[in-house]
Amino acid sequence: MSIFPDYFAPLHLSLVGKALGKGLLELGVHDLRQWTHDRHNTVDDTPYGGGAGMVMKPEPWGECFDALLDGLEEPPVLVVPTPSGIPFSQPIAYELSEKSHLLFACGRYEGIDRRVMEHAATRMEVRELSLGDYVLNGGEVATLAMVEAVVRLIPGVIGNPESLTEESHSDGQDQLLEYPVYTKPPSWRGLDVPEVLFSGHHARIAEWRREQAVELTRLRRPDLLPE
Ligand SMILES: Nc1c(O)cccc1[N+](=O)[O-]
């Protein structure tokens, strides 16, 4: 749900688009203004207690959830991208990929009236998640990223599921960053591919790749290194 539904046109491209075409998932994009009733389709108002900016009114969200939950056999999970959320992560992406129905609520302005999440929590699981510690203008870009991260984990979406095990932050990599990758040509602008990758010695290649992953993680993300 968003007041800028056109943001989600890219989901019909590439990997998610192919998955939609194969019927591996369904996608609905809903304009929140559909649940407003005034001439200006108002979705926001001034904040109680004062302060800059505007707050998203609860009524349109409540009516939107009423409509989207109507007739569902089981409640969806409501994902609310927000800078004040729990950090989104690969483990959370895996968790969400196993859910049958996700709703993404894209806030704008200074945020959504708190009562929207409080009331939603009386009828579905609510996950307030943050993509990162920076300021976006709304939840749409974060939703695009989260949808891609989740959808690619659905069985059948990625051609070769093996490729999921060696990515950065994946279990197969012990949460380490991904090792450097190379392809042809063997030498390019005076830069050569590491010899070990031509050895055909799989154990040595695996050892080199792990060393590279540990070193990269130590340099860039020491917080991910095992204790
Ligand atoms: N950071 C941020 C924001 O500023 C607005 C909406 C969502 C997010 N986020 O998910 O990280």
Side-chain angles (χ1 to χ4, degrees), residues 202-212:
H202 298 301
R204 280 204 202 123
I205 291 170
E207 182 187 4
W208 178 85
R209 283 173 167 171
R210 179 154 182 94
E211 286 165 2
Q212 294 293 309

Side-chain angles (χ1 to χ4, degrees), residues 20-21 57 67 98 125 130 140 145 155 161 170 172 174 176 183 194 200 204 212 215 222:
L20 286 166
K57 295 164 54 67
E98 292 167 355
E125 181 184 351
S130 168
E140 286 81 5
S170 68
D174 296 332
L176 296 174
T183 186
R204 280 204 202 123
Q212 294 293 309
E215 180 57 16

Side-chain angles (χ1 to χ4, degrees), residues 80-83 107 129-140 142 146:
V80 186
T82 170
L129 301 173
S130 168
L131 197 60
D133 296 336
Y134 37 74
V135 181
L136 300 170
N137 292 328
E140 286 81 5
M146 292 178 188

Side-chain angles (χ1 to χ4, degrees), residues 86-147:
I86 292 168
F88 182 65
S89 64
Q90 194 66 6
I92 291 178
Y94 270 105
E95 273 179 54
L96 295 179
S97 72
E98 292 167 355
K99 303 290 184 183
S100 56
H101 191 166
L102 302 177
L103 292 183
F104 287 84
C106 299
R108 279 269 152 175
Y109 310 108
E110 298 309 309
I112 302 172
D113 186 300
R114 170 53 36 193
R115 291 169 293 180
V116 170
M117 281 65 78
E118 282 179 20
H119 184 269
T122 65
R123 54 183 173 171
M124 58 188 142
E125 181 184 351
V126 179
R127 306 288 295 268
E128 295 187 67
L129 301 173
S130 168
L131 197 60
D133 296 336
Y134 37 74
V135 181
L136 300 170
N137 292 328
E140 286 81 5
V141 166
T143 294
L144 282 170
M146 292 178 188
V147 166

Side-chain angles (χ1 to χ4, degrees), residues 1 5-13 16-21 23-30 68 100-104 143-144 147-148 151 154:
M1 291 82 52
D6 292 350
Y7 249 99
F8 299 100
L11 290 179
H12 291 282
L13 304 174
V16 176
K18 288 194 180 79
L20 286 166
L24 293 172
L25 78 152
E26 293 172 13
L27 172 71
V29 178
H30 306 279
L68 296 184
S100 56
H101 191 166
L102 302 177
L103 292 183
F104 287 84
T143 294
L144 282 170
V147 166
E148 177 158 315
V151 166
I154 296 172

Side-chain angles (χ1 to χ4, degrees), residues 149-217:
V150 170
V151 166
R152 65 194 303 278
L153 301 176
I154 296 172
V157 171
I158 289 274
N160 172 14
E162 269 301 297
S163 60
L164 292 177
T165 59
E166 296 195 341
E167 296 175 324
S168 292
H169 311 295
S170 68
D171 287 344
Q173 274 281 94
D174 296 332
Q175 312 295 321
L176 296 174
L177 300 184
E178 198 167 349
Y179 50 78
V181 290
Y182 300 83
T183 186
K184 302 178 188 63
S187 187
W188 175 71
R189 296 189 178 186
L191 300 170
D192 299 339
V193 171
E195 274 304 315
V196 66
L197 298 180
F198 296 106
S199 68
H201 196 299
H202 298 301
R204 280 204 202 123
I205 291 170
E207 182 187 4
W208 178 85
R209 283 173 167 171
R210 179 154 182 94
E211 286 165 2
Q212 294 293 309
V214 169
E215 180 57 16
L216 204 55
T217 308

